[in-house]
Amino acid sequence: MRHFDLLILVNRPRQDVYDYLADPLNLLEVQPLLRKIQTKERSRNENGATVVSFDGLYVLPVLGLPLLRRLAHVVNTLTNPPNEMEYHAVYRPRIEIQFAYEFRQERNATQIKLRVNIIKVSHWMEDFVYNRAMNAQRSLLVNLKNRLEGPV
């Protein structure tokens, strides 16, 4: 299972950052490839954590044109608010990725550690999926920082 870690510091309180990422609709503002979200269900799991499942439509550019569309089923588990949350995404064709967030308060800012685990992918698509996931998550974190910190 391939994985990578990303870190970023956002100059906002931890609860604000957590609440923003916990709402799937906010992903439309910070995830550059995501075009549409349809929330399916909000429930609690056996550990009492809130679970939100939704379908998302992602558009991937091919030769600079937005041609490749991917539908994903995503489950967001608020495992330990406001310290941890996990997104688990299943894309076609048979791609499964886990996004595990940790939030730490650092004086007046929040440090976000994101671990991305590529759980399932065919061997011939592994490098492509790894690179796309890394670029998308870097963009998400930078866009999140810019959105929450506002203009300087």
Side-chain angles (χ1 to χ4, degrees):
M1 173 169 55
R2 286 179 75 177
H3 71 272
F4 60 88
D5 294 323
L6 298 171
L7 289 170
I8 195 164
L9 194 65
V10 178
N11 292 317
R12 290 292 295 265
R14 177 175 52 186
Q15 189 67 53
D16 291 354
V17 176
Y18 190 92
D19 290 345
Y20 190 86
L21 271 179
D23 183 354
L25 292 176
N26 288 334
L27 293 178
L28 291 167
E29 298 176 350
V30 295
Q31 183 65 272
L33 302 176
L34 184 61
R35 296 294 183 260
K36 183 179 173 184
I37 284 182
Q38 181 179 4
T39 302
K40 293 286 189 184
E41 179 181 359
R42 186 177 201 86
S43 61
R44 293 208 178 265
N45 67 9
E46 61 277 359
N47 299 325
T50 301
V51 177
V52 179
S53 65
F54 63 92
D55 291 332
L57 178 65
Y58 291 81
V59 178
L60 302 174
V62 176
L63 300 173
L65 301 171
L67 297 179
L68 192 56
R69 293 173 174 256
R70 291 283 181 245
L71 187 63
H73 179 72
V74 182
V75 176
N76 178 13
T77 306
L78 309 180
T79 50
N80 182 15
N83 302 310
E84 298 172 354
M85 99 174 44
E86 180 181 298
Y87 278 89
H88 189 96
V90 177
Y91 306 86
R92 292 184 202 153
R94 293 183 287 179
I95 299 169
E96 196 171 334
I97 304 175
Q98 175 196 44
F99 307 92
Y101 291 88
E102 290 180 22
F103 303 86
R104 289 201 184 109
Q105 189 69 44
E106 305 268 334
R107 294 189 185 165
N108 296 329
T110 302
Q111 179 190 50
I112 303 172
K113 177 184 177 188
L114 170 59
R115 170 160 279 207
V116 177
N117 296 307
I118 300 176
I119 298 169
K120 187 190 305 182
V121 65
S122 64
H123 181 70
W124 64 275
M125 287 187 64
E126 186 175 354
D127 289 337
F128 174 78
V129 169
Y130 182 88
N131 291 328
R132 282 288 178 186
M134 184 176 289
N135 289 336
Q137 295 313 301
R138 280 184 182 152
S139 295
L140 180 144
L141 292 176
V142 169
N143 291 341
L144 174 69
K145 179 179 177 68
N146 292 337
R147 170 69 72 182
L148 293 179
E149 290 181 0
V152 178

